[in-house]
Amino acid sequence: MPDRGGGPTGPRIRVGQPSRRVRTLLMTLGVLAVLAMAFVMFAGFWTDWLWYRSVHYSSVFTTTLWTKIGLFFVFGLLMAAAVGFNIWLAHRLRPPLSAMSMEQQSLDRYRMGIAPYKRWLLLAITSLVGLIAGASASGQWRTWLMWVNGVSFGQKDPQFHLDVSFYAFDLPWYRFLLGFGFAAAVLSLIAAALTHYLYGGLRVTSPGARATAAATGHLSVLLGVFVALKAVAYWLDRYGLAVKSSDFKATGNWTGLRYVDANAYLPAKTILFCIAVICALLFFATLWRRTWQLPVIGFGLMVLSAVLIGGLYPAIVQKFQVEPNEQAKEAPYVEKNLKATREAYGIAGTAVQDYPGASDTEDKAELRDDADTVASIRLMDPNIVSPTFQQLQQVRNYYAFPSNLDVDRYSKDGKEQDTVLGLRELNLAGIPKNNWINDHFRYTHGYGVVAAKGTEADSEGRPVFTEYNLPSKGDLGSYKQQVYYGEKTTQYSIVGGPQKEIDYSDDSGEKTTSYQGKSGVSLAGPVNRAAYAVAFGEPQILYSGAIGEGSRILYNRTPKERVEAVAPWLTIDGDAYPAVVDGKIQWIVDAYTTTNGYPYASRTTLGDTTADSLTAANDQRAVVAQQNQVNYIRNSVKATVDAYTGAVKLYQWDTEDPVLKTWMKAFPDTVESKKSISPDLLAHLRYPQDLFKVQRELLTRYHVRDAQTFLSGSEVWQVPDDPTNKSGSAVPPYYLSMKLPGESSQAFSLTTTMTPNGRDNLSAFVSVNAEAGTPDYGKISILKLPTGRTVDGPKRVQSQFNSEPSIAESIRLLRGGDSEVEYGNLLTVPLDGGLLYVEPVYVRGGDLKYPLLRKVLVTYGGNTAFEDTLGEALNKVFGAESSTAPPEEDTPKPPATGNPTVQAALADAQKAFDEGQEALKKGDWKAYGEAQKNLEEALKKAEAAQAEADKAAGGSGADKNTDKNADKNADKDTGGDAGKNGDSGSSPSPGPSAEEGSGSG
């Protein structure tokens, strides 16, 4: 119409709408936001791909990625198609609109409102359900790969006589498909019902029929599909009984069929399957009958049958048939559970032999000599002496040892020696100044191995180091000492570029290096730098001048996370340990294949069964995938991680494991054959602690083979709590070189004790041969103590130690002043029918913030000794001296509580040292100079006091030289290096001195 107004001319201004410039700006910002989100997603994908390519496991990344993508699209499209088709069909079957009721008139507004957007709405709904279904399905990539690549176990379950692979690989996939089918049926039913209601096919308040014939037929078919799927579920539930967990009052956790399952639930599931099939056919018949009368009746009968047959009938059988004679009824099924559980956890070959618990040998001299040869008794507790390693061998504050050291064995002069060792790993908290360059470019790695004899201490209670100083030297020979990958190395580092790295410092000053390995991802290109800047949330990576030609970024640096990343189908042991192998430091990682689908084998939760007093105090020792419930486990893979290059290698250790064979089919060329393990590496492989902890927990109940005994519970054992601390957690198993009764030589073993359920006397001593490459490797032996005699367990032995008046008085004296007493590992050793208990006792004296071995507790046959050395304690317990021990004068005796004058001087030295470090941090050079002067005076006093004490005691020149050299080293380290480098020094390194002046611990 023409403009009839006389108002002003010119362009119209639309009130409430943004201008073109604002709209352009908003569109630009929106596009930029979308691009930013896309780049963030790309950065995550791209950095993952680069990392997998850098470790040469790109096939793991691509196989996993394509499997996830395939499952996402296949099941996403199937769900979208199912829901979309039923919406379309319901719309197509809508009735023609005629007389409108009030209900239809109100719905008409909605119909008109969505009419222009029907296609878009349909696309949105199907896309949403497709995305959700696809994302859920992509998470089942492990289930799919195991189903596709599954191999036979060669064993059949005792109930259905199907191969175990059906339960481990097939049944989980069938259950996923069934769950997906249920979800598709329910969503399609809901979508179709809503569409029929919206377009008049279903009426709630309108007069006349509640549903059109078309709507009735459509919805009946969908209900029929749902009931048919329920029939399939009933059929699969029959097989699920073989892997069903239940609480059985006689034995606790139970997996597999019991009497009520085999005689009530199993026939009930078969009957319900038949009823469900008939009910589904009745629903499908409504396509012709157009009435819901029969299907509804059938469905009601199915529900009633599920209650009566599936619930009430088994309860009646349990109450009136099983409970009156439970042991007789359940015994055949317990036999199956016993056999399957022992096979699934690798404890079927456990050898049980009776052990008297007391010696009948009257020759005390013979017992004393046997005590020297039965075991290499470890006095250096790896879980106690880490602070001692830290104080004596840290050398620089930017190095640190793990809180729990490791036990390994090394050969010298053809003789095996149990060794406690740890790596100097990078400690960012100890560098002089924290900033981005120092944290990620200059301080990038640790340096060297520190090792000590496990069975000895020197005259002052310090470890006898066999590898020491910086750079490390000693018995381990020449090897690559830089530690770029370790348990404490969790931050990323950028190496190999223009910025030099601090390698180590010695008397001549600071040494620098540049990483020469091929590990890590190149940051040469702008795309890689941008991707890592986004992935790590660190924009400086993008523009920092410290990054240039040759720069590489190292991350995922702990051994456990590297192995888990390249083999996500493995469960990783909680304790990776280092070893010097073929001139390199290698981290050795034990890895497990598991399943929870082994029929009749009882389940266990890894996090619970592998927990002990060490994991309670150290999260790093926790097993990966702690919440996993499994009922089959094998140490099928031994993995190594190079501490310098980060190279990961997986070795097939269990060549018969069908689960590993399945994963090797899914990820070909990722696991090397067992033959590829070098002899040097084989010498350091050992039986893993976490597997043994799982097995010992199962052996508390499954050491018996008789169903009646198992059901009675009279032979149930328990793993005792650690008596040496108040954590309330289980005692950890201990590595120990020892020989069992009937054996001619010592074998490196993993040992533990068992007590009766709820009591503190000893039930059994359990050990496993941990020495890889020997015929008996993995053989579990149980020495079963008599039930008619009370043999003291660890807790009672510890209580006796603490309650003995003379020992209690000695402990009180050791605790004098600011000293603290720490109990080491309580070791149990079978000896001539009895049990020898040995426990080292450490003292943290005053300002000396590290434990030193001061006493050894020993008990055997009711006799207890608390002496300065193990030899003296054994002599006292047996009332005889060893015929193989060195002469007494060749073994210097440390004073029980140390020379007071020397201790006071050393305390003054420690105080002056601490004051100097504090002044150094504050930049107070005057105070620092005074502290260094006080330190020098205190060390001179200590040297003079020690010399006087040696003179009075007739000490040897070697001991004097030891103290003098240690004092000089301490003075040089704490004064000279700290002043030159601006770095805090550490206490003296007693490497060769400790070895020269060593005595029997």
Side-chain angles (χ1 to χ4, degrees), residues 29-43:
L29 291 176
V31 171
L32 289 176
V34 171
L35 291 176
M37 292 176 62
F39 188 78
V40 169
M41 296 174 63
F42 166 77

Side-chain angles (χ1 to χ4, degrees), residues 584-595:
K584 302 174 184 177
I585 300 175
Q586 297 278 359
W587 288 99
I588 300 174
V589 183
D590 287 288
Y592 309 108
T593 48
T594 62
T595 180

Side-chain angles (χ1 to χ4, degrees), residues 861-934:
N863 298 321
T864 301
F866 186 60
E867 301 298 326
D868 296 337
T869 67
L870 175 62
E872 291 177 349
L874 291 173
N875 291 345
K876 183 175 181 180
V877 162
F878 293 108
E881 293 189 1
S882 171
S883 62
T884 59
E888 190 67 27
E889 59 271 19
D890 293 342
T891 307
K893 298 180 183 179
T897 57
N899 186 300
T901 307
V902 175
Q903 285 195 345
L906 289 177
D908 291 340
Q910 182 69 45
K911 181 180 179 182
F913 172 76
D914 293 338
E915 289 174 350
Q917 299 312 301
E918 190 65 29
L920 191 63
K921 293 179 181 178
K922 296 178 179 178
D924 188 346
W925 296 106
K926 182 179 179 181
Y928 178 76
E930 293 178 357
Q932 294 304 303
K933 183 179 178 181
N934 294 338

Side-chain angles (χ1 to χ4, degrees), residues 18-33:
S19 65
R20 179 177 297 174
R21 182 177 299 175
V22 174
R23 291 200 302 271
T24 303
L25 178 61
L26 291 174
M27 289 182 63
T28 303
L29 291 176
V31 171
L32 289 176

